[in-house]
């Protein structure tokens, strides 16, 4: 730090370099800008409290756009960033394209003020997390949306997965369903682990059980989740709880391909309440994530860090809401 101050002061020819780099008041704006420009020319990384003053860019990294929950988050976060004078840089992964780690490297080159991740590898226990460690080492402000593995000490904004699965399970149980199955994400996916743990607990509490054969893993897209739903239908499940709305739409399609009525023969519950779920046929019963509140909270946590203030690592949990529509009904009798 001392070497950097001396180098910058020599380049600019002012002794106020120390005060500028330490964020102290009382320095003329022209001098301040000269010091910051010298930092850029000499290739030094700006201090955290000054980093956002150059580009005012914030990376927004999403795993996909086909699941409508991610464009919904992008809209809220992008709009809230703009209100605070920050410009979002949307980074969306595509199959065989740029990876999450590649995007992080690109964002670092752009000297972004911070990064918001939604639905990234931070939730997957068996994935590589080296790029997150680079961000931590560089002291780049980061906020994660939804649950992350414990070793990443970033603040997170999450919908309470345990409450969500309890709401869905109790709803189906109240309709008389006893053979309830789950379609979850990959084995190492932390939100799916949380959902599974709560499903087992609430099954026991309601006098039922959750056999291992009634827990299957599905891909995120509706067309790829039909095989998972078919496995549950093969063993006579009458109620299906899914980890996302696209998975739920795939389950509805799988039932219809077998000539099974939804909800007359099979009830299906989704998760997210993403766009147009009320326009599906039948309209989808789902557990709603409070996207607006979560997105704004994520930006607020990021802004605090960009301003140079510390934010303790941890998870800010938001309450979900069960939205009952036409894809759930009374359990069929004699089946």
């Amino acid at each position: 730090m001392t070497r950097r101050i001396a180098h910058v002061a020599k380049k600019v020819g002012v002794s106020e370099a120390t005060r500028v780099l330490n964020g102290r008041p009382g320095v003329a704006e022209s001098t301040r800008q000269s010091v910051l420009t010298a930092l850029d020319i000499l290739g030094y990384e700006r201090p955290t409290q000054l980093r956002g003053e150059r580009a005012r860019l914030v990376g927004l990294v999403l795993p996909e756009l086909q699941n409508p929950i991610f464009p919904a988050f992008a809209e809220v976060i992008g709009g809230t960033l703009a209100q605070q004078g920050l410009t979002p840089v949307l980074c969306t992964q595509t199959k065989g394209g740029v990876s999450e780690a590649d995007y992080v490297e690109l964002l670092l080159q752009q000297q972004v003020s911070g990064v918001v991740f939604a639905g990234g590898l931070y939730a997957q226990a068996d994935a590589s997390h080296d790029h997150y460690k680079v961000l931590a080492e560089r002291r780049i402000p980061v906020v994660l949306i939804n649950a992350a593995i414990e070793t990443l000490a970033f603040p997170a904004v999450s919908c309470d997965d345990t409450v969500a699965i309890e709401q869905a399970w109790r709803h189906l149980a109240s309709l008389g369903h006893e053979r309830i199955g789950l379609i979850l994400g990959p084995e190492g996916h932390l939100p799916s682990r949380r959902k599974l743990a709560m499903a087992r607990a609430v099954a026991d509490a309601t006098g039922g059980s959750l056999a291992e054969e009634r827990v299957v893993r599905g891909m995120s897209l509706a067309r790829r989740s039909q095989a998972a739903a078919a496995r549950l239908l093969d063993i006579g499940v009458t109620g299906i709880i899914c980890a996302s709305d696209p998975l739920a739409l795939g389950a509805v399609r799988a039932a219809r391909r077998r000539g099974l009525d939804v909800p007359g023969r099979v009830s299906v519950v989704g998760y997210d309440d993403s766009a147009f779920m009320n326009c599906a046929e039948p309209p989808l019963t789902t557990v709603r994530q409070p996207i607006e509140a979560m997105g704004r909270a994520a930006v607020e946590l990021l802004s605090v860090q960009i301003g140079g203030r510390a934010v303790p690592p941890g998870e800010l949990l938001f309450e979900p809401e069960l939205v009952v529509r036409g894809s759930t009904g009374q359990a069929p009798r004699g089946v």
Side-chain angles (χ1 to χ4, degrees):
M1 180 67 176
T2 302
R3 182 182 178 186
R4 176 171 62 178
I5 292 174
H7 199 180
V8 173
K10 182 178 179 181
K11 178 74 176 179
V12 179
V14 293
S15 61
E16 288 90 343
T18 301
R19 302 183 68 180
V20 173
L21 294 177
N22 289 332
R24 295 175 184 173
V27 181
E29 182 61 25
S30 59
T31 300
R32 183 169 173 275
Q33 290 302 324
S34 295
V35 172
L36 296 179
T37 300
L39 275 176
D40 300 340
I41 293 173
L42 294 170
Y44 288 117
E45 185 176 345
R46 294 189 180 197
T48 301
Q49 68 271 21
L50 301 175
R51 185 178 295 130
E53 298 182 19
R54 174 167 41 183
R56 304 292 289 177
L57 300 177
V58 170
L60 176 53
V61 185
L62 307 175
E64 58 169 305
L65 291 178
Q66 295 185 58
N67 184 338
I69 192 66
F70 295 119
F73 270 122
E75 181 178 9
V76 172
I77 293 170
T80 308
L81 286 170
Q83 291 172 5
Q84 300 199 16
L86 296 165
T87 302
V89 180
L90 183 61
C91 303
T92 306
Q93 300 167 64
T94 57
K95 186 176 181 181
V98 181
S99 68
E100 191 175 88
D102 293 332
Y103 274 127
V104 167
E105 182 178 352
L106 176 63
L107 292 171
L108 288 172
Q109 293 173 1
Q110 296 298 315
Q111 297 288 318
V112 293
S113 300
V115 185
V116 178
F117 292 89
L121 295 176
Y122 56 84
Q124 192 67 30
D126 55 358
S128 172
H129 303 113
D130 290 344
H131 51 292
Y132 298 115
K133 296 175 183 177
V134 172
L135 290 169
E137 291 169 356
R138 300 267 189 106
R139 299 182 181 275
I140 304 296
V142 171
V143 176
L144 310 176
I145 293 183
N146 283 327
I149 62 172
E150 294 181 357
T151 56
L152 295 177
F154 295 126
V157 175
S158 302
C159 187
D160 195 326
D161 294 305
T162 59
V163 173
I165 205 72
E166 182 178 17
Q167 290 177 345
W169 189 284
R170 290 189 181 278
H171 170 62
L172 290 179
S174 71
L175 294 172
H177 293 274
E178 297 178 352
R179 296 193 296 277
I180 300 173
L182 302 178
I183 302 179
L184 301 176
E187 184 71 30
H189 188 237
L190 185 57
S192 292
R193 287 182 176 180
R194 290 180 173 182
K195 290 181 174 72
L196 179 56
M198 175 51 73
R200 287 171 173 160
V202 72
D204 292 339
T206 55
S209 62
L210 179 59
E212 288 297 328
E213 64 179 359
R214 287 198 264 127
V215 180
V216 297
R217 308 287 171 171
M219 301 296 288
S220 61
L221 298 180
R223 66 178 181 272
R224 298 177 184 173
S225 65
Q226 294 179 53
R231 289 174 56 188
L232 295 176
L233 296 173
D234 286 340
I235 59 175
V237 163
T238 65
I240 300 176
I241 299 172
C242 302
S244 71
D245 289 340
L247 288 174
L249 295 178
V252 171
R253 185 180 299 175
R256 286 183 163 175
R257 286 192 171 183
R258 295 189 173 206
L260 303 177
D261 180 66
V262 178
R265 172 60 179 78
V266 180
S267 288
V268 178
V269 181
Y271 181 68
D272 288 337
D273 193 29
S274 44
F276 308 118
M277 292 304 103
N278 61 329
C279 300
E281 182 53 44
L284 187 67
T285 294
T286 186
V287 181
R288 175 182 295 160
Q289 288 199 64
I291 298 171
E292 182 79 20
M294 291 173 63
R296 290 188 173 276
V299 173
E300 179 61 28
L301 286 173
L302 193 75
S303 297
V304 170
Q305 295 178 76
I306 292 174
R309 290 174 287 166
V311 174
E315 193 173 16
L316 182 62
L317 289 176
F318 283 77
E319 189 87 0
E321 177 188 1
L322 178 69
V323 181
V324 179
R325 298 193 181 104
S327 66
T328 54
Q330 292 291 327
R333 295 182 179 181
V335 178

